[in-house]
Amino acid sequence: MATPHNSAEKGDFAKTVLMPGDPLRAKFIAENFLTDVKCVNEVRGMLGFTGKYEGKEVSVMGHGMGIPSIGIYTYELFNFYDVDNIIRVGSAGGMQDDVNVRDIIFAMGAHTDSNYGFQFGLPGTFCPTATYDILEKAVNIAREKGVRYHVGNVLASDAFYKKNCDEADRYRNLGCLAVEMETVALYMNAAEAKKNALTILTVSDHLYKTEELSAIERQNSFTDMMEIALKTAIK
Ligand code: ADE
């Protein structure tokens, strides 16, 4: 049942998979938040694990950097491994004045400068969104936790280092909360497979402010995001 990118057998993944970009972060999550952990994928170092959170089965696997990478792994999980729900847990660069470094963002929808949607042969653009049910659960958990959060659209961009470009200003003027590099492929794949998806982000840097995260702040906001994602996964 393996794919070129995943050596797991069918049934090795739980119905819900949490996905950070960094596979070592997937390992950290498995080792620190889950019990009864089994490693299910090591192909290309894109580590995947299945374990239990509060007694319920959950998987966690890296998705790598960028739209093509998350596009491959989420396509395979949805279509070949019968995964129903994918929650990306990542970081983003803030774009609005009221978005601070360390805030949490729930990506309601994803703009993009990528051509990933070209494959669907549409005459115009496609508006990929989170699954409302998971989004609502996650937002309720964040509210109960008392963390600072925002719900809105993010930009999934192909380029981290951009040349000659005021693209960010234009998206900022349209209310875009933050920039990251993956959500559009996750949401499009979920839509096509009729599955469920949500991206939760911590703001790690800001395009219009000089705020930076200290190591301890980075760890605390990561832990908040992980607890929200895990509680959402088992709800
Ligand atoms: N992820 C975290 N910060 C980012 C940024 N500034 N641009 C794109 N992706 C990011």
Side-chain angles (χ1 to χ4, degrees):
M1 162 64 231
T3 77
H5 319 99
N6 200 325
S7 58
E9 294 298 323
K10 207 160 187 154
D12 278 350
F13 283 100
K15 289 291 175 195
T16 300
V17 183
L18 267 50
M19 301 192 83
D22 181 351
L24 292 180
R25 189 144 268 197
K27 185 164 184 267
F28 178 89
I29 295 165
E31 287 172 352
N32 290 279
F33 292 88
L34 304 184
T35 59
D36 308 288
V37 172
K38 175 183 161 198
C39 181
V40 295
N41 184 52
E42 289 185 304
V43 177
R44 288 176 183 250
M46 198 56 78
L47 302 170
F49 304 87
T50 296
K52 287 191 174 157
Y53 183 72
E54 295 183 1
K56 299 205 178 140
E57 202 176 59
V58 179
S59 296
V60 53
M61 179 173 158
H63 61 56
M65 281 188 282
I67 288 163
S69 183
I70 193 172
I72 290 169
Y73 292 111
T74 59
Y75 186 94
E76 292 182 349
L77 290 174
F78 281 143
N79 295 288
F80 305 151
Y81 287 101
D82 293 342
V83 166
D84 288 338
N85 314 298
I86 294 179
I87 303 176
R88 158 163 150 73
V89 280
S91 62
M95 290 170 73
Q96 296 296 329
D97 292 340
D98 65 340
V99 170
N100 297 332
V101 165
R102 200 187 183 313
D103 288 358
I104 286 177
I105 291 179
F106 297 100
M108 192 153 62
H111 309 298
T112 194
D113 55 20
S114 143
N115 216 12
Y116 191 78
F118 179 75
Q119 62 180 307
F120 302 110
L122 300 169
T125 56
F126 178 46
C127 171
T129 59
T131 304
Y132 182 73
D133 182 40
I134 313 185
L135 174 64
E136 188 186 27
K137 279 184 201 161
V139 170
N140 285 339
I141 292 164
R143 195 179 294 125
E144 279 163 23
K145 226 175 161 26
V147 297
R148 266 184 64 92
Y149 69 88
H150 311 262
V151 184
N153 289 344
V154 300
L155 167 63
S157 180
D158 263 345
F160 186 90
Y161 299 105
K162 294 190 209 302
K163 304 287 176 202
N164 311 319
C165 190
D166 63 357
E167 176 188 292
D169 294 350
R170 299 186 196 182
Y171 282 102
R172 173 176 148 94
N173 288 340
L174 292 167
C176 183
L177 295 176
V179 58
E180 50 92 83
M181 304 187 72
E182 287 87 14
T183 295
V184 75
L186 169 61
Y187 287 4
M188 284 185 179
N189 283 349
E192 195 205 16
K194 300 181 177 47
K195 301 282 178 103
N196 308 304
L198 175 65
T199 288
I200 310 177
L201 302 159
T202 51
V203 179
S204 59
D205 56 283
H206 202 290
L207 274 60
Y208 298 88
K209 301 189 206 177
T210 48
E211 290 175 62
E212 274 179 23
L213 272 186
S214 69
I216 186 78
E217 285 171 327
R218 192 180 292 269
Q219 190 55 43
N220 288 344
S221 49
F222 172 72
T223 303
D224 284 343
M225 175 176 64
M226 280 319 307
E227 286 174 1
I228 293 166
L230 283 161
K231 286 191 187 319
T232 304
I234 61 164
K235 208 162 180 179

